[in-house]
Amino acid sequence: MPKDGQGSSNAFVELHFDGQKFRTTIKEKDLDPFWNETFYFNVSNPDDLHNLTLEAHVYNSNKTINSKSSLGKVRIAGTSFVPYSDAVVFNYPLEKGSIFSRAKGELGLKVYLTDDPSIRSSAPLPEMASSSSYSNLHSSQSELPSQKIEDYVPYTLVNGKKGSRRTFYNLSNSNNQRQQPHSVPSQQPIIYGVDQMRSEPQAAQVGRMYASSSSQPTDFTLRETSPFLGGGQGCRAHDLPSKDVTGSLDPCVEVKLGNYKGVTNHFEKNQNPEWNTVFTFSKDRMQSSVLEVIVKDKDMVKDDFVGIVRFDLHEIPTRVPPDSPLAPEWYRLEDKKGEKQKKGELMLAVWIGTQADEAFSEAWHSDAASPVDSSASSTHIRSKVYHSPRLWYVRVNVIEAQDLVVGEKNRFPNVHVKAQIGNQVLKTKPVQSQTMNVLWNEDLMFVAAEPFDDHLVLSVEDRVGPNKDEVLGRVFIPLATVERRADDRIVHSRWFNLQKPSATDIEEPKKDKFASRVHLRVCLDGGYHVLDESTHYSSDLRPTAKQLWKPPIGVLELGILNADALTPMKTRNGRGTSDTFCVAKYGQKWVRTRTITDSLNPKYNEQYTWEVFDPATVLTVGVFDNSQIGDKGSNGHRDLKIGKVRVRISTLETGRVYTHSYPLLVLHPSGVKKMGDLHLAIRFSCTSMVNMMSLYSRPLLPKMHYKMPLTMVQLDMLRHQAVNIVAARLSRAEPPLRKEVVEYMTDADSHLWSMRRSKANFFRLISVFNGLFAVGKWSKEVCMWKNPVTTVLVHVLFVMLICFPELILPTLFLYMFLIGLWNYRYRPKYPPHMNTRLSCADSVHPDELDEEFDHVSNHAGPGSCPNEALLSWRDPRATVIFMVFCVVAATVLYAVPLQLLIVMSGLYAMRHPRFRHKLPPAPLNFFRRLPARTDSML
């Protein structure tokens, strides 16, 4: 904004952070100043970084009177600082410096963190009080060191929110177990957390059924349970006796309980080995009362016995975190007869614990290996946490090409540009040019994942005949060198010289006198959220650029307990069985439980946590049969899907532990089928209720989706590419998360159309208007005097509203508030789950199912219908917000004249375009965030 009275400004910037202040040079007579000056700040207390704020004040300098006036300021919270690899230049809109000041324009900053020990803080500047300070600032050469705006603090301390990790535990009464060994329901588990959040003791029960809004078979409904959360067991040797003639020893340890055993690796010629290995044995599979720990000497033919330590299971202590870990003890080795040996000791710890033990996730599990073949490959059965790659949108703006050289001199070219990243290929429209210069100005969008190993390859091609293209030249651009942006600022375009058509890699093009070239604008768009899931069931809505991320609003805890009555997926030893594992996805974090082999009632007892950034997100948990171990069967190497569960975070009450058994429903060509039940424990804990409530007025997606929107065709194409990239990356992990698993978890086929889905959406649309139909039917009954008392009351109300029209709207809002208050007692006690009646899966015709499973003929289907959760307490926080709005609206409408409200509404609707924004209004954002009935559709 001009400030010097001559239509310009003498701008400089002051930076304030953690008690330190720096400033740039002054750019005279420039409304678009460019500094490119960089500074360091030290962080005095890294643990307090999330409470600190970087302030950048833009001032106009007045040399005449040695003063400064504000042009605006920018405030950046410490929680948004990112490491150097994620930092991009971001244009922050200038805010008012004070109440009476004015501000216009944007300030481009690049802020990031570093822990480089070679970096030193910038020298502090004197206060701007003397005239000499101003005169120094006006010098053309700045005395400031050329440094970067960085904070001397490890990146791991950015999100420095303190708080203990809460865990689901089970405290069982050992006395009750001994007195009533045959009655499992008599046990009284208590579920609580480290933060002292406890639930009251309650007797365990078989289940509690809930009636759904749309009736369906009882087997398909959700059941509340009181789970038994528990299980668990846990080397080092000293002065072992030698067994070989040479006096050497190759020791290993075998831990055996019944017919289950685990074996450590062996050490060559070592009489004082140290293994540090943990073994766990499932409590419900224990077939012996004695635990044997056997030390053996590894041999080519048969391992030699060295010594043994035996434990009676009734004497083993129980440990429940947060108790300290059990201290290991030295045990003298015994021979086969039970007598103590003169040499050899074994240090180990043995306890009965739960899945909350620190060693549980990395331990060898007896239920994850066959008792017959305990050497099953741990590669495919162990648990693992994955992080999906960070995805970016790549925007390629093909502007024009010049001085093209075609093969035939007597014809004008019909040219297009083919762009390729990996296996993604896009083309511009062909242009018939009368010269050797061609203009396109088209945008092409791709998906790329960090690290950027691929190159952007552009080929300028001439259509010389039907289905025949001649390459006129190529350009190779490494994605790692492409400029990144986090907003809609203009990216500078560049000219690239075309390489010869025979070029297959990046090479320095020859500087010919008349080289062909192409004009491009390429950037990595970090202001978008790269969709890799179905839009209805997204688990993450954050933009790619980390500096745009907001602080988390809560923590989601998931306990994957067990599955019951699973459908056999394979045949082994003449009977049906399954080797199952669970996969949970939320945000960029995927988790996979260990594989429980040969069991139709597997017990996982594993727990995971996620940070929650938006309540309008969905947690997905799937159950799969592992086809990588044992007999592959007819399905080859494909892991078979058994079923999945979706839980929307906004439908969970804060702090409540949900323990339910979810039916696993899958649609087969023969109809809907229940594949078993999955038992989960879920809790959502909120860290900032104010921040979470404020999210309901914000758009679902980042601002770039509204400022520079992508078409639906682009989004569908880009989502397909994103799923392929994520599947390719996770399938290369160890153990691999295979492509069929990723596609099933991300609902890769949710956009396909089918007759069943169209019927379900049609009936949902009809149900939205059922309320209007019911009002029309009721009005007809009033007019026909079917109920005289009701008709008389309607007449009285009608006359009152005509006489006092200002009471119509307050009465309507007050009525909606009372409906919400009345519905509180009928609020849902469980998260919404799959509904076969709503999905039209229980009455679908077999021909329609055949058509649905024929993916070749499917096309994109219709969108979702409006939400119906406003006053039903399906989203308790949204209902509270709407009820408060109704009370406030009723009060305002009663106190303010109706004519004034109409005038204000009209002026707002006709406001100047300067006061309009591309972002959707808050009421629309609130409406879009409500949970829809699509969550309950198959």
Side-chain angles (χ1 to χ4, degrees):
M1 175 174 291
K3 274 282 187 178
D4 62 354
Q6 301 176 4
S8 188
S9 291
N10 304 319
F12 68 94
V13 180
E14 277 190 3
L15 301 168
H16 301 254
F17 181 79
D18 199 10
Q20 303 160 70
K21 180 170 70 174
F22 305 114
R23 62 175 175 262
T24 67
T25 57
I26 294 177
K27 299 295 182 180
E28 296 185 357
K29 304 296 182 181
D30 192 351
L31 292 180
D32 299 293
F34 182 79
W35 286 280
N36 198 27
E37 299 177 17
T38 50
F39 307 91
Y40 292 128
F41 291 90
N42 271 338
V43 178
S44 57
N45 182 12
D47 292 333
D48 197 40
L49 179 62
H50 60 283
N51 292 324
L52 300 178
T53 301
L54 171 67
E55 294 188 0
H57 296 265
V58 185
Y59 292 108
N60 171 67
S61 173
N62 191 330
K63 290 190 298 182
T64 306
I65 59 176
N66 291 333
S67 67
K68 61 182 181 181
S69 55
S70 176
L71 294 173
K73 68 177 181 179
V74 169
R75 292 169 54 88
I76 307 175
T79 53
S80 64
F81 296 166
V82 297
Y84 177 73
S85 60
D86 295 324
V88 296
V89 177
F90 187 75
N91 292 335
Y92 297 89
L94 291 174
E95 305 172 359
K96 292 182 179 180
S98 62
I99 299 178
F100 303 103
S101 65
R102 297 171 61 193
K104 190 181 83 170
E106 296 177 333
L107 179 63
L109 297 175
K110 184 176 183 179
V111 187
Y112 55 91
L113 303 167
T114 182
D115 56 358
D116 188 350
S118 64
I119 293 176
R120 295 292 179 267
S121 174
S122 301
L125 292 179
E127 291 295 327
M128 297 181 61
S130 62
S131 59
S132 61
S133 299
Y134 278 98
S135 61
N136 292 337
L137 284 173
H138 282 272
S139 61
S140 59
Q141 298 295 330
S142 172
E143 298 179 359
L144 295 176
S146 179
Q147 299 168 328
K148 297 180 174 63
I149 300 178
E150 298 176 348
D151 290 329
Y152 186 82
V153 57
Y155 171 59
T156 53
L157 297 177
V158 173
N159 296 321
K161 288 189 175 292
K162 298 181 179 179
S164 58
R165 174 179 174 180
R166 284 158 292 186
T167 311
F168 300 113
Y169 299 131
N170 173 75
L171 294 181
S172 58
N173 192 327
S174 58
N175 295 330
N176 290 347
Q177 291 180 9
R178 291 183 183 134
Q179 294 172 3
Q180 300 174 348
H182 302 293
S183 179
V184 175
S186 66
Q187 299 169 355
Q188 295 185 350
I190 301 175
I191 304 173
Y192 71 103
V194 175
D195 60 347
Q196 305 301 323
M197 191 284 291
R198 298 172 180 262
S199 64
E200 294 298 325
Q202 56 181 353
Q205 52 193 3
V206 174
R208 179 176 171 186
M209 298 294 183
Y210 292 105
S212 176
S213 57
S214 298
S215 58
Q216 57 178 341
T218 306
D219 287 346
F220 295 169
T221 56
L222 205 63
R223 292 183 291 114
E224 185 176 9
T225 61
S226 295
F228 181 85
L229 304 175
Q233 305 273 3
C235 188
R236 174 176 177 184
H238 171 68
D239 195 23
L240 295 177
S242 59
K243 288 295 181 179
D244 286 349
V245 178
T246 59
S248 63
L249 181 71
D250 302 332
C252 66
V253 174
E254 178 183 288
V255 183
K256 188 176 181 181
L257 182 60
N259 62 344
Y260 287 94
K261 66 179 180 180
V263 181
T264 68
N265 58 338
H266 74 281
F267 291 90
E268 292 185 1
K269 300 180 180 180
N270 191 337
Q271 292 180 278
N272 298 282
E274 189 171 337
W275 289 279
N276 292 325
T277 304
V278 182
F279 298 88
T280 65
F281 296 88
S282 179
K283 196 172 182 180
D284 61 336
R285 291 191 175 191
M286 292 181 182
Q287 302 173 353
S288 174
S289 60
V290 177
L291 171 68
E292 297 178 337
V293 183
I294 308 168
V295 181
K296 294 184 176 182
D297 180 22
K298 191 70 175 178
D299 196 22
M300 294 291 293
V301 181
K302 183 179 180 181
D303 296 343
D304 295 329
F305 177 87
V306 176
I308 187 173
V309 178
R310 295 181 176 90
F311 296 91
D312 189 340
L313 293 184
H314 299 292
E315 305 295 331
I316 295 177
T318 299
R319 182 214 169 201
V320 177
D323 293 349
S324 299
L326 211 63
E329 300 179 25
W330 285 105
Y331 295 90
R332 177 71 66 178
L333 293 179
E334 302 174 356
D335 57 20
K336 294 182 179 180
K337 297 180 180 179
E339 297 179 359
K340 300 291 185 181
Q341 297 185 163
K342 294 180 180 181
K343 293 184 64 177
E345 289 181 313
L346 194 63
M347 174 183 278
L348 69 157
V350 183
W351 71 93
I352 296 177
T354 69
Q355 76 277 8
D357 283 310
E358 295 83 358
F360 184 84
S361 59
E362 297 297 328
W364 178 94
H365 297 271
S366 63
D367 54 5
S370 171
V372 178
D373 182 15
S374 61
S375 62
S377 175
S378 62
T379 302
H380 298 288
I381 63 176
R382 58 188 173 131
S383 59
K384 182 71 177 293
V385 175
Y386 309 81
H387 287 275
S388 58
R390 191 165 164 216
L391 302 175
W392 292 77
Y393 281 148
V394 182
R395 185 186 296 271
V396 182
N397 180 221
V398 184
I399 303 174
E400 59 180 324
Q402 289 184 354
D403 301 328
L404 297 177
V405 179
V406 298
E408 300 179 19
K409 303 297 183 181
N410 298 326
R411 57 177 294 272
F412 294 110
N414 185 11
V415 185
H416 67 270
V417 175
K418 183 176 75 173
Q420 182 172 0
I421 298 179
N423 61 351
Q424 306 175 64
V425 179
L426 292 177
K427 296 181 180 180
T428 65
K429 295 179 180 178
V431 175
Q432 184 81 41
S433 176
Q434 302 298 318
T435 66
M436 295 303 162
N437 302 329
V438 186
L439 179 66
W440 292 280
N441 197 23
E442 285 189 37
D443 271 355
L444 306 177
M445 296 290 290
F446 299 88
V447 179
E450 293 183 348
F452 299 117
D453 299 326
D454 294 325
H455 296 146
L456 169 63
V457 182
L458 292 105
S459 304
V460 180
E461 300 180 352
D462 179 21
R463 179 63 57 88
V464 296
N467 300 323
K468 184 179 180 182
D469 298 325
E470 176 184 331
V471 178
L472 304 180
R474 287 192 175 94
V475 175
F476 298 88
I477 304 175
L479 290 179
T481 64
V482 173
E483 182 180 356
R484 306 182 184 189
R485 70 173 182 179
D487 52 9
D488 57 347
R489 63 185 176 89
I490 300 299
V491 177
H492 297 294
S493 60
R494 290 179 56 192
W495 286 95
F496 294 87
N497 291 333
L498 293 177
Q499 300 182 24
K500 292 182 178 180
S502 59
T504 57
D505 203 349
I506 299 178
E507 59 184 28
E508 188 68 25
K510 295 181 180 179
K511 297 182 179 180
D512 299 329
K513 188 174 182 179
F514 298 103
S516 301
R517 59 180 186 166
V518 63
H519 195 192
L520 304 173
R521 183 180 287 113
V522 186
C523 71
L524 292 167
D525 267 331
Y528 291 94
H529 167 67
V530 180
L531 293 167
D532 60 342
E533 307 168 281
S534 170
T535 53
H536 301 312
Y537 312 120
S538 292
S539 62
D540 190 9
L541 300 170
R542 293 173 295 173
T544 300
K546 289 186 177 180
Q547 67 189 73
L548 300 179
W549 291 5
K550 304 296 183 182
I553 61 169
V555 176
L556 175 65
E557 299 162 274
L558 170 67
I560 303 176
L561 306 180
N562 62 281
D564 294 318
L566 295 179
T567 300
M569 305 300 291
K570 63 183 63 168
T571 302
R572 182 179 294 148
N573 298 329
R575 62 184 181 86
T577 187
S578 292
D579 304 320
T580 59
F581 64 93
C582 297
V583 174
K585 182 193 186 307
Y586 186 77
Q588 293 181 335
K589 178 180 175 182
W590 297 65
V591 299
R592 169 183 176 146
T593 68
R594 67 191 188 281
T595 299
I596 308 299
T597 60
D598 198 24
S599 176
L600 297 179
N601 297 280
K603 294 188 177 181
Y604 306 99
N605 288 327
E606 299 186 22
Q607 180 184 339
Y608 303 93
T609 61
W610 289 268
E611 286 185 328
V612 177
F613 293 87
D614 196 307
T617 48
V618 176
L619 166 72
T620 305
V621 185
V623 184
F624 301 88
D625 177 70
N626 196 330
S627 299
Q628 315 309 313
I629 58 177
D631 298 331
K632 299 297 188 297
S634 59
N635 61 299
H637 290 276
R638 293 178 60 86
D639 293 332
L640 299 179
K641 60 184 182 183
I642 296 179
K644 65 183 171 186
V645 173
R646 291 191 293 254
V647 179
R648 187 171 293 272
I649 307 303
S650 62
T651 62
L652 303 177
E653 296 179 14
T654 304
R656 175 184 167 187
V657 179
Y658 290 82
T659 54
H660 292 90
S661 180
Y662 296 80
L664 299 173
L665 305 179
V666 175
L667 195 63
H668 287 280
S670 58
V672 66
K673 182 179 181 182
K674 180 180 178 181
M675 306 294 289
D677 294 279
L678 182 61
H679 196 183
L680 302 176
I682 304 173
R683 174 168 59 184
F684 169 58
S685 303
C686 178
T687 56
S688 177
M689 184 62 71
V690 175
N691 290 344
M692 181 168 61
M693 290 295 194
S694 65
L695 285 176
Y696 280 89
S697 63
R698 298 178 187 173
L700 267 175
L701 295 171
K703 293 181 180 180
M704 282 291 287
H705 286 270
Y706 306 98
K707 290 185 175 181
M708 299 178 66
L710 304 175
T711 65
M712 290 302 298
V713 175
Q714 280 182 310
L715 287 175
D716 282 342
M717 183 270 295
L718 293 172
R719 187 169 77 91
H720 175 70
Q721 298 295 345
V723 171
N724 289 339
I725 292 175
V726 172
R729 289 289 180 90
L730 297 183
S731 63
R732 293 200 298 265
E734 195 67 36
L737 209 57
R738 307 182 68 80
K739 183 178 181 180
E740 59 269 18
V741 174
V742 174
E743 290 180 346
Y744 184 59
M745 294 292 292
T746 56
D747 291 286
D749 296 333
S750 62
H751 65 289
L752 299 179
W753 182 87
S754 70
M755 183 62 71
R756 179 191 63 85
R757 289 176 180 170
S758 64
K759 288 171 60 178
N761 284 324
F762 173 76
F763 288 128
R764 286 198 309 115
L765 186 62
I766 291 299
S767 66
V768 173
F769 298 102
N770 280 343
L772 297 177
F773 298 152
V775 171
K777 182 179 179 181
W778 175 79
S779 301
K780 185 176 180 180
E781 292 178 352
V782 168
C783 296
M784 297 301 295
W785 289 77
K786 189 172 183 179
N787 189 331
V789 176
T790 302
T791 303
V792 170
L793 291 176
V794 169
H795 278 74
V796 174
L797 182 62
F798 176 73
V799 172
M800 289 180 59
L801 294 179
I802 293 299
C803 296
F804 305 98
E806 63 275 8
L807 296 181
I808 295 178
L809 291 179
T811 303
L812 181 62
F813 280 104
L814 191 61
Y815 175 69
M816 287 190 290
F817 169 78
L818 294 176
I819 290 178
L821 203 62
W822 176 262
N823 287 340
Y824 177 76
R825 54 190 297 195
Y826 304 109
R827 67 189 186 280
K829 298 297 191 298
Y830 60 95
H833 190 54
M834 306 297 183
N835 190 305
T836 56
R837 181 64 54 83
L838 180 67
S839 306
C840 294
D842 55 348
S843 58
V844 65
H845 193 274
D847 292 342
E848 296 175 357
L849 286 175
D850 291 339
E851 169 266 335
E852 180 166 353
F853 283 92
D854 182 13
H855 296 299
V856 177
S857 62
N858 290 350
H859 303 282
S864 61
C865 294
N867 297 279
E868 305 167 356
L870 209 53
L871 294 172
S872 64
W873 292 90
R874 195 181 307 166
D875 183 342
R877 288 163 290 272
T879 302
V880 169
I881 292 175
F882 183 72
M883 290 176 61
V884 171
F885 168 78
C886 288
V887 172
V888 174
T891 305
V892 171
L893 290 170
Y894 179 77
V896 179
L898 183 61
Q899 294 85 347
L900 179 60
L901 291 174
I902 295 176
V903 170
M904 293 176 61
S905 300
L907 293 177
Y908 178 78
M910 296 181 291
R911 66 191 184 279
H912 192 273
R914 181 178 179 180
F915 302 103
R916 299 178 183 271
H917 303 281
K918 292 184 178 181
L919 299 182
L924 184 59
N925 295 331
F926 177 80
F927 182 76
R928 287 176 175 173
R929 286 180 172 274
L930 296 177
R933 299 188 72 182
T934 50
D935 293 348
S936 301
M937 290 187 62
L938 286 168

CSV table of all heavy atoms in Angstrom, one decimal, residues 177 197 208 271 384 403 532 576 618-619 621 645 678 770 825 833 876 891:
chain,number,residue,atom,x,y,z
A,177,GLN,N,-10.8,-66.0,38.7
A,177,GLN,CA,-10.5,-67.0,37.7
A,177,GLN,C,-10.3,-68.4,38.3
A,177,GLN,O,-10.7,-69.4,37.7
A,177,GLN,CB,-9.3,-66.6,36.9
A,177,GLN,CG,-9.5,-65.3,36.1
A,177,GLN,CD,-8.3,-64.9,35.4
A,177,GLN,OE1,-7.3,-65.6,35.4
A,177,GLN,NE2,-8.3,-63.7,34.7
A,197,MET,N,-8.2,-41.9,33.2
A,197,MET,CA,-9.6,-42.0,32.7
A,197,MET,C,-10.1,-43.4,32.9
A,197,MET,O,-9.6,-44.3,32.3
A,197,MET,CB,-9.6,-41.6,31.2
A,197,MET,CG,-11.0,-41.3,30.7
A,197,MET,SD,-11.9,-42.8,30.3
A,197,MET,CE,-11.0,-43.5,29.0
A,208,ARG,N,-25.0,-56.9,23.4
A,208,ARG,CA,-26.1,-56.0,23.5
A,208,ARG,C,-26.5,-55.6,22.1
A,208,ARG,O,-25.7,-55.0,21.4
A,208,ARG,CB,-25.8,-54.8,24.3
A,208,ARG,CG,-26.9,-53.8,24.5
A,208,ARG,CD,-26.5,-52.7,25.4
A,208,ARG,NE,-27.5,-51.6,25.4
A,208,ARG,CZ,-27.3,-50.5,26.1
A,208,ARG,NH1,-26.2,-50.3,26.8
A,208,ARG,NH2,-28.2,-49.6,26.1
A,271,GLN,N,30.6,-68.7,24.1
A,271,GLN,CA,30.1,-69.3,25.4
A,271,GLN,C,29.4,-68.3,26.3
A,271,GLN,O,28.9,-68.6,27.3
A,271,GLN,CB,31.2,-70.0,26.1
A,271,GLN,CG,31.7,-71.2,25.4
A,271,GLN,CD,32.9,-71.9,26.1
A,271,GLN,OE1,34.0,-71.5,26.0
A,271,GLN,NE2,32.5,-72.9,26.9
A,384,LYS,N,3.3,-54.6,11.5
A,384,LYS,CA,4.2,-53.6,10.9
A,384,LYS,C,3.3,-52.3,10.8
A,384,LYS,O,2.1,-52.3,10.6
A,384,LYS,CB,4.6,-54.0,9.5
A,384,LYS,CG,5.5,-53.0,8.8
A,384,LYS,CD,6.9,-52.9,9.4
A,384,LYS,CE,7.8,-52.0,8.6
A,384,LYS,NZ,8.1,-52.5,7.3
A,403,ASP,N,10.1,-22.7,-33.6
A,403,ASP,CA,11.2,-23.2,-34.5
A,403,ASP,C,11.2,-24.7,-34.6
A,403,ASP,O,12.3,-25.3,-34.5
A,403,ASP,CB,12.6,-22.6,-34.0
A,403,ASP,CG,12.6,-21.1,-34.0
A,403,ASP,OD1,11.9,-20.5,-34.8
A,403,ASP,OD2,13.3,-20.6,-33.1
A,532,ASP,N,-6.3,-39.9,-2.4
A,532,ASP,CA,-6.0,-41.3,-2.7
A,532,ASP,C,-7.0,-42.3,-2.1
A,532,ASP,O,-6.8,-43.5,-2.1
A,532,ASP,CB,-4.6,-41.7,-2.2
A,532,ASP,CG,-4.5,-41.5,-0.7
A,532,ASP,OD1,-5.3,-40.8,-0.1
A,532,ASP,OD2,-3.5,-42.1,-0.1
A,576,GLY,N,-11.6,-76.6,6.7
A,576,GLY,CA,-11.5,-75.2,6.4
A,576,GLY,C,-10.9,-74.4,7.4
A,576,GLY,O,-11.1,-74.6,8.6
A,618,VAL,N,-12.5,-40.6,8.3
A,618,VAL,CA,-13.0,-42.0,8.6
A,618,VAL,C,-11.9,-42.9,8.8
A,618,VAL,O,-10.8,-42.9,8.1
A,618,VAL,CB,-13.8,-42.5,7.3
A,618,VAL,CG1,-14.3,-43.9,7.5
A,618,VAL,CG2,-15.1,-41.6,7.1
A,619,LEU,N,-12.0,-43.7,9.8
A,619,LEU,CA,-11.1,-44.8,10.1
A,619,LEU,C,-11.6,-46.1,9.5
A,619,LEU,O,-12.7,-46.4,9.6
A,619,LEU,CB,-10.9,-45.0,11.6
A,619,LEU,CG,-10.3,-46.3,12.1
A,619,LEU,CD1,-8.8,-46.3,11.8
A,619,LEU,CD2,-10.5,-46.6,13.6
A,621,VAL,N,-10.9,-50.2,9.0
A,621,VAL,CA,-10.2,-51.5,9.4
A,621,VAL,C,-10.7,-52.6,8.6
A,621,VAL,O,-11.9,-52.9,8.5
A,621,VAL,CB,-10.5,-51.7,10.9
A,621,VAL,CG1,-9.7,-52.9,11.4
A,621,VAL,CG2,-10.2,-50.5,11.8
A,645,VAL,N,-14.5,-52.5,8.3
A,645,VAL,CA,-15.3,-51.7,9.1
A,645,VAL,C,-14.9,-50.2,8.9
A,645,VAL,O,-13.7,-49.9,8.9
A,645,VAL,CB,-15.1,-52.1,10.6
A,645,VAL,CG1,-15.9,-51.1,11.5
A,645,VAL,CG2,-15.6,-53.5,10.8
A,678,LEU,N,-15.8,-58.7,13.9
A,678,LEU,CA,-14.5,-58.1,14.3
A,678,LEU,C,-14.8,-57.3,15.5
A,678,LEU,O,-15.6,-56.4,15.6
A,678,LEU,CB,-14.0,-57.2,13.2
A,678,LEU,CG,-12.6,-56.5,13.5
A,678,LEU,CD1,-11.5,-57.6,13.7
A,678,LEU,CD2,-12.2,-55.6,12.3
A,770,ASN,N,-39.5,-37.4,2.0
A,770,ASN,CA,-40.6,-38.0,2.8
A,770,ASN,C,-41.2,-37.0,3.8
A,770,ASN,O,-42.4,-37.1,4.1
A,770,ASN,CB,-40.1,-39.3,3.4
A,770,ASN,CG,-40.1,-40.4,2.5
A,770,ASN,OD1,-40.7,-40.4,1.4
A,770,ASN,ND2,-39.4,-41.5,2.9
A,825,ARG,N,-32.5,-38.1,24.1
A,825,ARG,CA,-32.7,-39.3,24.8
A,825,ARG,C,-32.7,-40.5,23.9
A,825,ARG,O,-32.5,-41.7,24.3
A,825,ARG,CB,-34.0,-39.3,25.6
A,825,ARG,CG,-35.2,-39.0,24.7
A,825,ARG,CD,-36.4,-38.7,25.5
A,825,ARG,NE,-36.8,-39.9,26.3
A,825,ARG,CZ,-38.0,-40.0,26.9
A,825,ARG,NH1,-38.9,-39.0,26.8
A,825,ARG,NH2,-38.4,-41.1,27.5
A,833,HIS,N,-23.1,-48.4,11.2
A,833,HIS,CA,-22.4,-49.4,10.5
A,833,HIS,C,-23.2,-49.8,9.2
A,833,HIS,O,-24.2,-49.3,9.0
A,833,HIS,CB,-22.2,-50.6,11.4
A,833,HIS,CG,-21.3,-51.7,10.9
A,833,HIS,ND1,-20.0,-51.4,10.5
A,833,HIS,CD2,-21.5,-53.0,10.7
A,833,HIS,CE1,-19.4,-52.5,10.0
A,833,HIS,NE2,-20.3,-53.5,10.2
A,876,PRO,N,-22.7,-35.7,17.5
A,876,PRO,CA,-23.1,-34.9,18.7
A,876,PRO,C,-22.7,-33.5,18.8
A,876,PRO,O,-23.4,-32.6,19.2
A,876,PRO,CB,-22.6,-35.7,19.9
A,876,PRO,CG,-21.5,-36.6,19.3
A,876,PRO,CD,-21.9,-36.8,17.9
A,891,THR,N,-33.8,-15.8,19.3
A,891,THR,CA,-33.7,-14.6,20.1
A,891,THR,C,-33.5,-13.4,19.3
A,891,THR,O,-34.1,-12.3,19.4
A,891,THR,CB,-32.5,-14.7,21.1
A,891,THR,OG1,-32.7,-15.9,21.9
A,891,THR,CG2,-32.5,-13.5,22.0
